[in-house]
Amino acid sequence: MAGTKTEISGPKSLFTNEFLCNSTSLLNSRKRRTVEVRKPVAATAAFTAVQMVAKLIELDSIKVIPETPVQFTVSGQVTVEYDAMEQMKELMFNWWDSSKTTINAQRGVFLQLVSSDIDPRTGKAKVSKEAILDWSRDLPINADKFVTHEVQFLVDGNFGVPGAILVTNKNSKEFYLKSITLEGFLHFDCQSWVQPEKLHPEKRIFFTDKAYLPNETPMGLRELREKELRELRGNGEGVRVLSDRIYDYDVYNDLGNPDKGLEFARPVLGGQRRPYPRRCRTGRPSTKSDPKSESPVNETTPMYVPRDEAFVDEKKRSVDAGSWKGMMNNLFPFLKHSTDSNSVNSFADINNLYKESRNHSNFPVESTADAFKFDPPNIVSRDASCCLRDDEFGRFTLAGMNPISIERLKVFPPVSKLDPSIYGPTQSALREEHLISHLDGMSVQKAIERKKLFTLDYHDAFLPFLNSINAHPDRKAYATRTIFLLTQMGTLKPIAIELSLPSTNPFKPSKQVITPPVDATTCWQWQLAKAHVCSNDSGAHELIQHWLRTHACMEPFIIAARRHLSAMHPILKLLHPHMRYTMDINARARELLISAGGIIESLFSTKECSMEITSFAYKNWRFDMESLPADLIRRGVAELDPTEPHGIKLLIEDYPYANDGLLIWSAIERLVKDYVNYYYPDSNSIRSDPELNTWYYESINVGHADHRHESWWPNLSTPNDLVSILTTLIWISSAIHAALNFGQYHYGGYVPVRPSYMRRLIPNEDDPEYQNFISDPERYFLSSLPRLREMAFLMSMLEILSTHSEDEEYLGDRKELSTWRGTPEIIEAFYRFSMEMKAIEKEIEKRNSDTKLRNRCGAGVSPYQLLVPSSEPGVSCRGVPNSISI
């Protein structure tokens, strides 16, 4: 019989109709197959029995060709970071390795697509065959930083939409996987280091950019979603190595080194006695002297942060360059005076640390002598007196490097909250007679009622530690209180300073009050008192406001997010740029800045008490008070007012930090609200998200375990609750950190105005030093400041901390918008936010030109730019990065 040929094509689409519409190459790659089938013929009555039997035998002999699955070729582009030197090393290693054995294991990078669908026969996700990338044979000498390689995947016609990619690195070294794109539009934003299989045998999992809440996760990806989070959590055991990407918690038991000597032992922070946020666990072994202390970083156990949290090369180069420059600035001025005591004999000695010669073009003219000197800070005006003027003193509390400590005075005289049985009487030495002549005819009570008195109060923060501080021969400190009057011009005027010491002698007053000068002697006493206040403020700023409230308190939220929010989770995608580099810079701080004998203990008044002071302050830390409106209201500098644009009224109208900050806070809040409401339309959607709730629960109960029983923690029950929590976290990691960090050099780089510590107390008439003070008060003032070498070290540190790196990412710049390609509402929200940041820049520029705003505009008054969102690299005293990255 004659046969016919029938063409049977595969399914109409591989992934979706949208996929095929956007992928002509995929259609062209479809393979057709031909199946031969015999055409059956009906039996007729004319057939004899013999013919019937013969026909049946013939039909039975027909062979039906079994169906085979239709297969497709899917094209992909894999983008990896390229390092010519490392590539050369890899090639040489592979050549050497292959020359030693005749059977060389297959090398390269193996990739498999994972479908969003499950195979109904196995109940598991569908997985493609492995595609192999082997770039070890190619060495693109002139390649860019990132190189894209082509790859081909072979998948079945009923594979479905790829939702994940499994990656195995069979090379000998790690590589940075930037992204993978399928057929030109299905994108995987990987941004991760992939370790060699010999170190980490588990296949790496990368999901598509599309965000999914847990209950919306495609069936084929659910098991992988859970598996990836289990791997990130680890088992809490063992020593972490640099290639790990495991997130876990530990207390701060790594700040001391008791094996080096008793003077290098430091107490453990974290626990009922010394509460503290938790840090990332490293698993390093205990010290020999103290089993509770973790051994310091060394060559065999280097500093650990999860691999993807570490600085990239560009960031490392920026930090290393700053450190090298700082070392040069420190070294050269002292080479010819290496045997000197480096004491300060005149203000000229200090001014000689800075470059002076400049021409009128855009470029400085540096003499050989200037080559290794510091750029002069451009914020602080150095007049003939070279000391801090009263108007600058008041202005810096509102528009300086620490604008979040000023509070409204509500009770007079101020009362200490310390235990009087330990720290002595709680009463202040301040009395109405100290203030009355400076109140423009008001009584103290009337000034309080009119909300005209404000204070910087460091009494309780420092008094418990003064005995330890003042035991050092080169450290002398008071616990200070300063009273300011809000003038009719909207500026703050200092009118009294209280200086307190521990009460050790019942016959000698432990408190004294210094008021504005009336003669030459009181003029210098007033300058010394302001210097001691600035020393207090410098320590409180660096340790409490900067380190504790931003760096340390953010880390538990980051650890919990990595442990419990999948890479697919929309909240992790929102928070991701606001967590960049924070864990790395915190680990570096524990190693170099806040460790025993580290930079903070060497350059600030607080010495070995430094971190205990932060633990003492953490007892009063409250997350619900960290939002900008709540913080302003708590400090009494603002009141609720629904008629105001931001819902609050500032009691100091010209408060640059607060005014500019409210613009950014409101913009963040609007963005977060649009974002949250898109994914969480109601309270049920919040309650039904296990990843979100576990993240918040663990952030509180493990990350901030010492405050886990506090009633002030915000609830997480409604979309508005989530908006408030996320807005606060983004605010802390971006704007408040920028306001506290990037002005450090320009506001604190001239030490006579803002000393980090003092070496002498203010002498009374019965003190042996009093006569030296009277005979040469300027020399006494200079001898109270840090030595020249310590000044140079301090300026180097402040310059490094104030520097923006080349790869900084600023608020309003969102680089991974492809994540929301299918959700125009989210893209529009980010676009509006970006436009708001640009509008805020213009508004701040306008305010800085308004002569009525005397705290940011005037003769010799530098504009307040710390909350201008964008910046160029370097020390600019402006710019709001997305994250705590330095």
Side-chain angles (χ1 to χ4, degrees), residues 133-189:
L133 274 180
D134 185 6
W135 56 69
S136 64
R137 301 180 185 276
D138 303 320
L139 185 62
I141 300 299
N142 297 320
D144 295 328
K145 179 180 179 182
F146 292 103
V147 177
T148 298
H149 301 274
E150 298 292 329
V151 66
Q152 301 289 324
F153 296 94
L154 195 62
V155 299
D156 294 339
N158 61 352
F159 186 80
V161 181
I165 292 181
L166 305 179
V167 180
T168 304
N169 178 14
K170 292 183 180 290
N171 294 321
S172 61
K173 292 184 178 295
E174 67 176 6
F175 72 94
Y176 187 78
L177 180 57
K178 184 176 187 290
S179 64
I180 301 174
T181 304
L182 300 181
E183 294 296 335
F185 80 96
L186 189 59
H187 192 67
F188 297 74
D189 186 38

Side-chain angles (χ1 to χ4, degrees), residues 74-316:
V74 180
S75 297
Q77 294 78 41
V78 180
T79 302
V80 299
E81 184 175 350
Y82 177 77
D83 187 314
M85 183 62 69
E86 290 301 317
Q87 182 79 333
M88 179 64 77
K89 291 178 183 178
E90 179 80 4
L91 280 175
M92 295 179 68
F93 176 86
N94 290 341
W95 174 82
W96 173 255
D97 191 52
S98 61
S99 68
K100 294 190 296 180
T101 177
T102 56
I103 304 176
N104 187 35
Q106 190 172 16
R107 298 187 181 280
V109 177
F110 290 64
L111 305 101
Q112 289 177 283
L113 297 181
V114 181
S115 174
S116 298
D117 302 330
I118 60 172
D119 189 331
R121 295 170 299 175
T122 64
K124 301 288 186 180
K126 301 173 185 177
V127 181
S128 75
K129 294 181 180 179
E130 287 182 329
I132 303 175
L133 274 180
D134 185 6
W135 56 69
S136 64
R137 301 180 185 276
D138 303 320
L139 185 62
I141 300 299
N142 297 320
D144 295 328
K145 179 180 179 182
F146 292 103
V147 177
T148 298
H149 301 274
E150 298 292 329
V151 66
Q152 301 289 324
F153 296 94
L154 195 62
V155 299
D156 294 339
N158 61 352
F159 186 80
V161 181
I165 292 181
L166 305 179
V167 180
T168 304
N169 178 14
K170 292 183 180 290
N171 294 321
S172 61
K173 292 184 178 295
E174 67 176 6
F175 72 94
Y176 187 78
L177 180 57
K178 184 176 187 290
S179 64
I180 301 174
T181 304
L182 300 181
E183 294 296 335
F185 80 96
L186 189 59
H187 192 67
F188 297 74
D189 186 38
C190 305
Q191 306 285 355
S192 181
W193 291 94
V194 181
Q195 301 302 322
E197 185 182 36
K198 63 182 180 182
L199 293 180
H200 294 272
E202 292 287 340
K203 296 180 179 180
R204 284 296 309 276
I205 304 165
F206 295 99
F207 299 103
T208 60
D209 288 353
K210 184 173 174 57
Y212 292 103
L213 292 173
N215 60 0
E216 298 171 346
T217 309
M219 294 299 296
L221 306 180
R222 294 192 174 189
E223 184 177 340
L224 289 180
R225 182 173 185 146
E226 295 172 1
K227 182 175 184 291
E228 170 77 352
L229 288 174
R230 285 197 302 271
E231 291 177 359
L232 291 170
R233 289 193 288 268
N235 60 9
E237 300 176 356
V239 179
R240 301 273 68 85
V241 295
L242 296 181
S243 59
D244 285 345
R245 45 193 295 271
I246 294 175
Y247 298 79
D248 204 356
Y249 303 92
D250 207 344
V251 294
Y252 278 69
N253 62 349
D254 61 339
L255 302 177
N257 185 7
D259 291 347
K260 193 176 176 180
L262 187 61
E263 67 271 23
F264 291 96
R266 296 293 179 270
V268 174
L269 303 184
Q272 185 175 3
R273 184 178 178 186
R274 294 183 180 91
Y276 218 68
R278 300 307 190 253
R279 63 170 176 95
C280 181
R281 179 186 175 274
T282 68
R284 293 197 302 269
S286 301
T287 60
K288 297 176 182 178
S289 307
D290 181 7
K292 294 182 179 180
S293 296
E294 186 174 272
S295 59
V297 168
N298 55 50
E299 292 183 359
T300 58
T301 54
M303 178 190 73
Y304 169 76
V305 293
R307 185 65 184 94
D308 290 336
E309 305 292 338
F311 286 175
V312 299
D313 289 342
E314 194 171 9
K315 180 71 172 181
K316 287 179 184 175

